[in-house]
Coordinates of all heavy atoms in Angstrom, one line a residue:
M28 N -198.3 -258.5 62.1 CA -197.2 -259.3 61.4 C -196.1 -258.4 60.9 O -194.9 -258.8 60.8 CB -197.8 -260.0 60.2 CG -198.9 -261.1 60.6 SD -198.3 -262.3 61.7 CE -199.7 -263.3 61.8
M29 N -196.5 -257.1 60.6 CA -195.4 -256.2 60.0 C -194.8 -255.4 61.1 O -193.9 -254.6 60.9 CB -196.1 -255.2 59.0 CG -196.7 -256.0 57.8 SD -195.4 -256.8 56.7 CE -194.8 -255.3 56.1
A30 N -195.3 -255.6 62.4 CA -194.7 -254.7 63.4 C -193.2 -255.0 63.7 O -192.8 -256.2 63.7 CB -195.4 -255.0 64.7
P31 N -192.4 -254.1 63.8 CA -191.0 -254.2 64.0 C -190.8 -254.9 65.4 O -191.5 -254.6 66.4 CB -190.3 -252.9 63.9 CG -191.5 -251.9 64.2 CD -192.7 -252.6 63.8
R32 N -189.7 -255.7 65.6 CA -189.4 -256.3 66.8 C -188.8 -255.3 67.7 O -187.8 -254.7 67.3 CB -188.5 -257.4 66.6 CG -188.3 -258.3 67.8 CD -187.4 -259.5 67.4 NE -188.0 -260.4 66.5 CZ -188.5 -261.6 66.7 NH1 -188.3 -262.1 68.0 NH2 -188.9 -262.4 65.8
Q33 N -189.3 -255.1 68.8 CA -188.9 -254.0 69.7 C -188.2 -254.6 70.9 O -188.6 -255.7 71.4 CB -190.0 -253.2 70.3 CG -190.8 -252.4 69.2 CD -190.3 -251.1 69.0 OE1 -189.5 -250.5 69.7 NE2 -190.7 -250.4 67.9
Q34 N -187.1 -254.1 71.3 CA -186.4 -254.4 72.5 C -187.2 -253.9 73.7 O -187.6 -252.8 73.7 CB -185.0 -254.0 72.6 CG -184.0 -254.7 71.5 CD -183.9 -256.1 71.7 OE1 -183.9 -256.6 72.8 NE2 -183.7 -256.8 70.7
G35 N -187.3 -254.7 74.8 CA -188.0 -254.2 76.0 C -187.1 -253.2 76.7 O -186.1 -253.5 77.1
S36 N -187.6 -252.0 76.7 CA -186.9 -250.9 77.3 C -187.4 -250.6 78.7 O -186.7 -249.7 79.3 CB -187.0 -249.6 76.4 OG -188.3 -249.3 76.3
T37 N -188.3 -251.3 79.1 CA -188.9 -250.9 80.4 C -188.1 -251.7 81.5 O -188.2 -251.3 82.7 CB -190.5 -251.2 80.6 OG1 -190.6 -252.6 80.2 CG2 -191.2 -250.4 79.6
L38 N -187.5 -252.8 81.1 CA -186.8 -253.6 82.1 C -185.4 -253.1 82.3 O -184.6 -253.0 81.4 CB -186.8 -255.1 81.6 CG -188.1 -255.8 81.8 CD1 -188.0 -257.2 81.1 CD2 -188.5 -256.0 83.2
S39 N -185.0 -252.9 83.6 CA -183.6 -252.5 83.9 C -182.7 -253.8 83.7 O -183.1 -254.8 84.1 CB -183.6 -252.0 85.3 OG -182.2 -252.0 85.7
P40 N -181.6 -253.6 83.2 CA -180.7 -254.7 83.0 C -180.2 -255.3 84.3 O -179.9 -256.4 84.4 CB -179.4 -254.1 82.3 CG -179.8 -252.7 81.9 CD -181.2 -252.4 82.6
L41 N -180.3 -254.5 85.3 CA -179.9 -254.9 86.7 C -181.0 -255.8 87.3 O -180.7 -256.6 88.3 CB -179.6 -253.7 87.6 CG -178.4 -252.9 87.2 CD1 -178.2 -251.7 88.1 CD2 -177.1 -253.8 87.2
Q42 N -182.2 -255.6 86.9 CA -183.3 -256.4 87.5 C -183.5 -257.8 86.8 O -184.1 -258.6 87.3 CB -184.6 -255.6 87.4 CG -184.6 -254.3 88.3 CD -185.8 -253.5 88.1 OE1 -186.3 -253.4 87.0 NE2 -186.2 -252.7 89.1
R43 N -183.0 -257.9 85.6 CA -183.3 -259.1 84.8 C -182.0 -259.6 84.3 O -181.4 -259.1 83.4 CB -184.2 -258.8 83.7 CG -184.6 -260.0 82.9 CD -185.8 -259.7 82.0 NE -186.1 -260.7 81.1 CZ -185.5 -260.9 79.9 NH1 -184.6 -260.2 79.5 NH2 -185.8 -261.9 79.1
E44 N -181.4 -260.6 85.0 CA -180.1 -261.1 84.6 C -180.3 -262.2 83.5 O -181.3 -263.1 83.6 CB -179.5 -261.8 85.8 CG -179.1 -260.8 86.9 CD -178.2 -261.3 87.9 OE1 -178.2 -262.5 88.2 OE2 -177.3 -260.5 88.3
P45 N -179.4 -262.3 82.5 CA -179.4 -263.3 81.5 C -179.2 -264.7 82.0 O -178.3 -264.8 83.0 CB -178.4 -262.9 80.5 CG -177.4 -262.1 81.3 CD -178.2 -261.4 82.4
A46 N -179.8 -265.7 81.6 CA -179.6 -267.0 82.1 C -178.7 -267.8 81.1 O -178.9 -267.7 79.9 CB -181.0 -267.8 82.2
P47 N -177.8 -268.6 81.6 CA -177.0 -269.4 80.7 C -177.7 -270.5 80.0 O -178.7 -271.0 80.6 CB -175.9 -270.0 81.7 CG -176.5 -269.9 83.1 CD -177.4 -268.7 83.0
V48 N -177.3 -270.8 78.8 CA -178.0 -272.0 78.1 C -177.3 -273.2 78.6 O -176.0 -273.4 78.5 CB -177.8 -271.8 76.6 CG1 -178.3 -273.0 75.9 CG2 -178.5 -270.5 76.1
P49 N -178.1 -274.2 79.1 CA -177.5 -275.5 79.5 C -176.6 -276.1 78.4 O -177.1 -276.2 77.2 CB -178.7 -276.3 79.9 CG -179.8 -275.3 80.1 CD -179.5 -274.2 79.2
G50 N -175.5 -276.6 78.7 CA -174.7 -277.3 77.7 C -173.7 -276.5 76.9 O -173.0 -277.0 76.2
C51 N -173.8 -275.2 77.1 CA -172.9 -274.3 76.4 C -171.7 -273.8 77.3 O -172.0 -273.2 78.4 CB -173.7 -273.0 75.9 SG -172.5 -271.8 75.2
S52 N -170.5 -274.2 76.9 CA -169.4 -274.0 77.8 C -169.2 -272.4 78.0 O -168.7 -272.0 79.0 CB -168.2 -274.6 77.3 OG -167.8 -274.1 76.0
E53 N -169.5 -271.7 76.9 CA -169.2 -270.3 77.1 C -170.2 -269.6 78.1 O -169.9 -268.8 78.9 CB -169.3 -269.5 75.7 CG -169.0 -268.1 75.7 CD -167.6 -267.8 76.0 OE1 -166.7 -268.6 76.1 OE2 -167.3 -266.5 76.1
C54 N -171.5 -270.0 77.9 CA -172.4 -269.6 78.9 C -172.0 -270.0 80.4 O -172.1 -269.2 81.3 CB -173.7 -270.2 78.6 SG -174.7 -269.5 77.3
L55 N -171.5 -271.1 80.5 CA -171.2 -271.6 81.8 C -169.9 -270.8 82.4 O -169.9 -270.5 83.5 CB -170.8 -273.1 81.7 CG -170.4 -273.9 83.0 CD1 -171.7 -273.9 83.9 CD2 -170.0 -275.3 82.7
R56 N -169.0 -270.6 81.4 CA -167.9 -269.7 81.9 C -168.3 -268.3 82.3 O -167.9 -267.9 83.4 CB -166.9 -269.5 80.7 CG -165.6 -269.0 81.0 CD -164.7 -269.0 79.8 NE -165.2 -268.0 78.8 CZ -164.8 -266.7 78.9 NH1 -164.2 -266.2 79.8 NH2 -165.3 -265.8 78.0
L57 N -169.2 -267.8 81.7 CA -169.6 -266.4 82.0 C -170.5 -266.4 83.3 O -170.5 -265.5 84.2 CB -170.4 -265.8 80.8 CG -169.5 -265.5 79.7 CD1 -170.3 -265.0 78.5 CD2 -168.5 -264.3 80.0
A58 N -171.4 -267.5 83.4 CA -172.1 -267.7 84.7 C -171.3 -267.9 85.9 O -171.6 -267.4 86.9 CB -173.1 -268.8 84.4
N59 N -170.2 -268.7 85.7 CA -169.3 -268.8 86.8 C -168.6 -267.6 87.2 O -168.4 -267.3 88.3 CB -168.3 -269.9 86.4 CG -168.8 -271.4 86.5 OD1 -169.8 -271.6 87.1 ND2 -168.2 -272.2 85.8
R60 N -168.3 -266.8 86.1 CA -167.6 -265.6 86.4 C -168.5 -264.6 87.2 O -168.1 -263.9 88.2 CB -167.3 -264.9 85.0 CG -166.7 -263.5 85.1 CD -166.3 -263.2 83.8 NE -166.0 -261.7 83.6 CZ -165.4 -261.1 82.5 NH1 -165.0 -261.8 81.6 NH2 -165.2 -259.9 82.5
R61 N -169.8 -264.6 86.9 CA -170.7 -263.8 87.5 C -170.9 -264.3 89.0 O -171.0 -263.5 89.9 CB -172.1 -263.8 86.8 CG -173.2 -263.0 87.5 CD -174.4 -263.1 86.6 NE -175.0 -264.3 86.6 CZ -176.2 -264.7 85.8 NH1 -176.5 -263.8 84.9 NH2 -176.6 -265.9 85.8
Q62 N -170.9 -265.6 89.1 CA -171.1 -266.2 90.4 C -169.9 -265.8 91.3 O -170.1 -265.5 92.5 CB -171.2 -267.6 90.3 CG -171.7 -268.4 91.6 CD -173.1 -268.2 91.9 OE1 -173.9 -267.9 90.9 NE2 -173.6 -268.0 93.0
N63 N -168.8 -266.0 90.7 CA -167.5 -265.6 91.5 C -167.5 -264.1 92.0 O -167.2 -263.8 93.1 CB -166.3 -265.9 90.7 CG -166.0 -267.4 90.5 OD1 -166.5 -268.2 91.4 ND2 -165.3 -267.7 89.5
A64 N -167.9 -263.3 90.9 CA -167.9 -261.8 91.4 C -168.9 -261.6 92.4 O -168.7 -260.7 93.4 CB -168.4 -261.1 90.0
R65 N -170.1 -262.2 92.4 CA -171.1 -262.0 93.4 C -170.6 -262.5 94.8 O -170.9 -261.9 95.8 CB -172.4 -262.7 93.0 CG -173.6 -262.5 94.0 CD -174.8 -263.0 93.4 NE -175.4 -262.1 92.4 CZ -175.8 -262.6 91.2 NH1 -175.8 -263.9 90.9 NH2 -176.2 -261.7 90.3
S66 N -169.9 -263.6 94.7 CA -169.4 -264.1 96.0 C -168.4 -263.2 96.7 O -168.2 -263.2 97.9 CB -168.8 -265.5 95.8 OG -167.6 -265.5 95.1
E67 N -167.8 -262.4 95.8 CA -166.8 -261.4 96.3 C -167.5 -260.0 96.5 O -166.7 -259.0 96.7 CB -165.6 -261.3 95.3 CG -164.9 -262.6 95.2 CD -163.8 -262.6 94.1 OE1 -163.7 -261.6 93.4 OE2 -163.1 -263.7 94.0
S68 N -168.7 -259.9 96.3 CA -169.5 -258.6 96.3 C -168.9 -257.6 95.4 O -169.0 -256.4 95.7 CB -169.5 -258.1 97.8 OG -170.1 -259.0 98.7
D69 N -168.4 -258.1 94.3 CA -167.9 -257.2 93.3 C -168.9 -256.9 92.3 O -169.1 -257.5 91.2 CB -166.7 -257.8 92.6 CG -165.9 -256.8 91.7 OD1 -166.5 -255.9 91.3 OD2 -164.8 -257.2 91.3
H70 N -169.7 -255.9 92.5 CA -170.9 -255.6 91.8 C -170.6 -255.1 90.3 O -171.4 -255.5 89.5 CB -171.8 -254.5 92.5 CG -172.4 -255.0 93.8 ND1 -173.1 -256.0 94.0 CD2 -172.0 -254.5 95.2 CE1 -173.4 -256.3 95.3 NE2 -172.7 -255.3 96.0
S71 N -169.6 -254.4 90.2 CA -169.3 -254.0 88.8 C -168.8 -255.2 88.0 O -169.1 -255.3 86.8 CB -168.2 -252.9 88.8 OG -166.9 -253.4 89.3
A72 N -168.2 -256.2 88.6 CA -167.8 -257.4 87.9 C -169.0 -258.2 87.6 O -169.2 -258.8 86.5 CB -166.8 -258.2 88.7
V73 N -170.1 -258.2 88.5 CA -171.3 -258.9 88.2 C -172.0 -258.3 87.0 O -172.4 -259.0 86.0 CB -172.2 -258.8 89.4 CG1 -173.5 -259.4 89.1 CG2 -171.6 -259.7 90.6
T74 N -172.0 -257.0 87.0 CA -172.6 -256.3 85.8 C -171.8 -256.6 84.6 O -172.5 -256.8 83.5 CB -172.6 -254.8 86.1 OG1 -173.3 -254.5 87.4 CG2 -173.3 -254.1 85.0
D75 N -170.5 -256.6 84.6 CA -169.7 -256.9 83.4 C -170.0 -258.3 82.9 O -170.2 -258.5 81.7 CB -168.2 -256.8 83.9 CG -167.7 -255.4 83.8 OD1 -168.5 -254.5 83.4 OD2 -166.5 -255.3 84.2
A76 N -170.1 -259.2 83.8 CA -170.4 -260.6 83.4 C -171.7 -260.7 82.8 O -172.0 -261.4 81.7 CB -170.3 -261.6 84.6
N77 N -172.7 -260.0 83.3 CA -174.0 -260.0 82.7 C -174.0 -259.4 81.3 O -174.7 -259.8 80.4 CB -175.0 -259.2 83.6 CG -175.6 -260.0 84.8 OD1 -175.6 -261.3 84.7 ND2 -175.9 -259.4 85.8
V78 N -173.3 -258.3 81.1 CA -173.1 -257.7 79.8 C -172.5 -258.7 78.8 O -173.0 -258.9 77.8 CB -172.3 -256.4 79.9 CG1 -171.9 -255.9 78.5 CG2 -173.0 -255.3 80.7
Y79 N -171.4 -259.3 79.2 CA -170.8 -260.3 78.3 C -171.7 -261.5 78.0 O -171.8 -261.9 76.9 CB -169.5 -260.9 78.9 CG -168.4 -259.9 78.8 CD1 -167.7 -259.4 80.1 CD2 -168.0 -259.4 77.6 CE1 -166.7 -258.5 80.0 CE2 -166.9 -258.5 77.5 CZ -166.3 -258.1 78.8 OH -165.3 -257.2 78.7
L80 N -172.5 -261.9 79.0 CA -173.3 -263.1 78.8 C -174.5 -262.7 77.9 O -174.8 -263.5 77.1 CB -173.9 -263.6 80.2 CG -174.9 -264.8 80.2 CD1 -174.2 -266.0 79.4 CD2 -175.1 -265.3 81.6
R81 N -175.1 -261.5 78.2 CA -176.1 -261.1 77.3 C -175.7 -261.0 75.9 O -176.4 -261.4 74.9 CB -176.7 -259.8 77.9 CG -178.0 -259.4 77.2 CD -178.6 -258.1 77.8 NE -179.3 -258.5 79.1 CZ -178.8 -258.0 80.3 NH1 -177.8 -257.2 80.3 NH2 -179.4 -258.3 81.4
R82 N -174.5 -260.4 75.7 CA -174.0 -260.2 74.4 C -173.7 -261.6 73.7 O -174.0 -261.8 72.5 CB -172.6 -259.5 74.5 CG -172.0 -259.1 73.2 CD -170.8 -258.2 73.4 NE -171.1 -257.0 74.1 CZ -170.2 -256.2 74.7 NH1 -168.9 -256.6 74.6 NH2 -170.5 -255.1 75.4
H83 N -173.2 -262.5 74.5 CA -173.0 -263.8 73.9 C -174.3 -264.5 73.6 O -174.4 -265.2 72.5 CB -172.2 -264.7 75.0 CG -172.3 -266.2 74.7 ND1 -171.5 -266.8 73.7 CD2 -173.0 -267.1 75.3 CE1 -171.8 -268.1 73.7 NE2 -172.7 -268.3 74.7
L84 N -175.3 -264.4 74.4 CA -176.6 -265.1 74.1 C -177.1 -264.5 72.8 O -177.7 -265.3 72.0 CB -177.6 -264.8 75.3 CG -177.3 -265.5 76.6 CD1 -178.2 -265.0 77.7 CD2 -177.6 -267.0 76.4
K85 N -177.1 -263.2 72.6 CA -177.6 -262.6 71.4 C -176.9 -263.1 70.2 O -177.4 -263.3 69.2 CB -177.5 -261.0 71.5 CG -178.2 -260.4 70.4 CD -178.4 -258.9 70.6 CE -179.4 -258.6 71.7 NZ -179.7 -257.1 71.9
A86 N -175.5 -263.1 70.3 CA -174.6 -263.5 69.1 C -174.7 -265.0 68.8 O -174.7 -265.4 67.7 CB -173.2 -263.1 69.5
Q87 N -174.7 -265.8 69.9 CA -174.6 -267.3 69.6 C -175.9 -268.0 69.8 O -176.0 -269.1 69.2 CB -173.7 -267.8 70.7 CG -172.2 -267.2 70.5 CD -171.6 -267.5 69.2 OE1 -171.7 -268.6 68.6 NE2 -170.9 -266.5 68.6
H88 N -176.9 -267.5 70.4 CA -178.1 -268.3 70.7 C -179.4 -267.6 70.2 O -180.5 -268.0 70.3 CB -178.3 -268.5 72.2 CG -177.1 -269.3 72.8 ND1 -176.8 -270.6 72.5 CD2 -176.2 -268.9 73.7 CE1 -175.8 -271.0 73.2 NE2 -175.4 -269.9 73.9
G89 N -179.1 -266.4 69.6 CA -180.3 -265.6 69.0 C -181.3 -265.1 70.1 O -182.5 -265.0 69.7
E90 N -180.8 -264.9 71.2 CA -181.6 -264.4 72.3 C -181.2 -263.0 72.6 O -180.2 -262.5 72.2 CB -181.5 -265.2 73.6 CG -182.0 -266.7 73.4 CD -181.8 -267.4 74.7 OE1 -181.7 -266.8 75.7 OE2 -181.9 -268.6 74.7
G91 N -182.2 -262.2 73.2 CA -181.8 -260.9 73.5 C -183.0 -260.2 74.2 O -183.0 -259.0 74.5
Ligands
ZN120 ZN1 -173.9 -269.9 75.3

């Protein structure tokens, strides 16, 4: 019960992509951005979108 909450450090960010929350327009926007980047094979933009989405999930949805 007293154990501190640890972030999973064994998972690579590239292997586990954040999932958008249904009904959230900001999640949808970032998911679309990632999708567009992927369709253009712009891997750095895909990574960027994942970073923004993960940050948004943590800030707005309490996920991380
Ligand atoms: Zn959201």
Side-chain angles (χ1 to χ4, degrees):
M28 297 302 184
M29 299 294 288
R32 189 179 295 250
Q33 300 265 347
Q34 294 293 330
S36 57
T37 57
L38 286 172
S39 163
L41 294 177
Q42 290 174 331
R43 183 169 173 274
E44 296 194 327
V48 174
C51 176
S52 61
E53 181 71 4
C54 284
L55 187 63
R56 191 175 71 80
L57 293 168
N59 282 339
R60 176 172 165 171
R61 182 175 65 190
Q62 194 71 31
N63 288 338
R65 182 169 288 134
S66 73
E67 295 170 3
S68 298
D69 189 342
H70 297 297
S71 66
V73 171
T74 302
D75 279 354
N77 279 332
V78 169
Y79 285 121
L80 181 53
R81 190 174 285 114
R82 188 176 298 164
H83 163 77
L84 287 172
K85 187 170 288 186
Q87 300 298 319
H88 302 292
E90 298 181 15

